[in-house]
Amino acid sequence: MGAAQLHCTWLKLHRTNVVFCWGSFGLYLVSAVLSVPPSVSPRKAMLLLKKKRYQEQLLDKTENQISNLERMVQDIEFTQIEMKVIEGLKIGNECLNKMHQVMSIEEVERIIGETQDAVEYQRQIDELLAGSLTEEDEDAILEELNTITQEQLELPEVPSEPLPEKIPEASPVKNRPKPELVAAS
């Protein structure tokens, strides 16, 4: 428990004691005023009422002072929290500055550019491996097809003889004897 909290707790306990004491004293004064027989001087009754009024005013002042002290303690605690936040921001700012010294904007742009180039290169490799053609490749193939169809190519003649129906059998493969395994001694 911090000193401020301990002081605040003491103030609350003190306030309770003051109210209790005033309460007892106030009851005593009221009962004293009421118990004054009419034959006793009204001056004494007036004096007791003034004393009661003075004690009430003193109690109000004390409560206001205690409230002010509690508010001051809360303000101090809040200011301490604000100071910790500002210190944290200062440390964070220093870390960011050190990181900026290590890595510049040009370096980041260079890395991003290299990454984009590598991604594009990998995409091209993937397309080639997958057999997909780009629009440029398809255009080149169509153009080559058009030139081939426009040229008069001499194709070989188709044989007019019928094809043999039976395919000659291949010679059987000889089975080699398996070598025996001998245990080493």
Side-chain angles (χ1 to χ4, degrees):
M1 183 181 286
Q5 289 176 336
L6 188 62
H7 185 67
C8 187
T9 305
W10 178 83
L11 288 174
K12 287 178 183 175
L13 288 174
H14 184 68
R15 179 192 305 171
T16 306
N17 288 338
V18 168
V19 170
F20 176 73
C21 291
W22 177 86
S24 301
F25 185 70
L27 288 176
Y28 169 75
L29 287 176
V30 169
S31 65
V33 169
L34 293 176
S35 66
V36 173
S39 60
V40 177
S41 74
R43 189 169 183 218
K44 186 174 181 183
M46 186 71 119
L47 182 64
L48 288 174
L49 287 174
K50 283 183 181 180
K51 194 172 185 181
K52 180 184 173 226
R53 177 82 158 221
Y54 173 74
Q55 291 294 326
E56 288 175 348
Q57 288 175 351
L58 187 62
L59 181 64
D60 286 342
K61 284 181 186 178
T62 305
E63 284 183 351
N64 286 337
Q65 288 174 348
I66 290 172
S67 294
N68 287 339
L69 288 173
E70 287 176 346
R71 197 172 317 116
M72 284 175 40
V73 167
Q74 290 174 350
D75 290 344
I76 289 170
E77 289 173 348
F78 185 71
T79 303
Q80 289 173 340
I81 292 171
E82 285 178 331
M83 288 174 57
K84 288 179 184 177
V85 168
I86 290 173
E87 186 65 29
L89 289 172
K90 187 187 299 183
I91 291 170
N93 192 22
E94 289 172 2
C95 288
L96 282 174
N97 286 335
K98 287 179 183 177
M99 289 174 58
H100 291 150
Q101 289 173 357
V102 170
M103 189 175 288
S104 65
I105 292 176
E106 292 82 20
E107 181 73 13
V108 172
E109 289 174 346
R110 184 188 61 79
I111 291 171
I112 289 173
E114 288 176 359
T115 303
Q116 289 173 345
D117 291 345
V119 167
E120 177 63 27
Y121 184 73
Q122 183 62 41
R123 187 187 62 77
Q124 290 174 358
I125 290 174
D126 290 344
E127 286 178 358
L128 289 175
L129 291 176
S132 64
L133 300 175
T134 63
E135 288 184 32
E136 295 171 355
D137 292 338
E138 288 180 15
D139 292 342
I141 290 172
L142 286 175
E143 187 177 316
E144 186 177 342
L145 179 64
N146 285 335
T147 48
I148 289 174
T149 55
Q150 289 175 0
E151 292 178 1
Q152 293 291 335
L153 294 178
E154 291 185 26
L155 298 174
E157 292 195 25
V158 179
S160 59
E161 302 171 2
L163 294 173
E165 291 188 23
K166 199 174 192 185
I167 301 175
E169 292 185 25
S171 61
V173 179
K174 293 183 181 179
N175 290 338
R176 286 195 257 166
K178 295 183 181 179
E180 291 184 29
L181 298 175
V182 179
S185 45

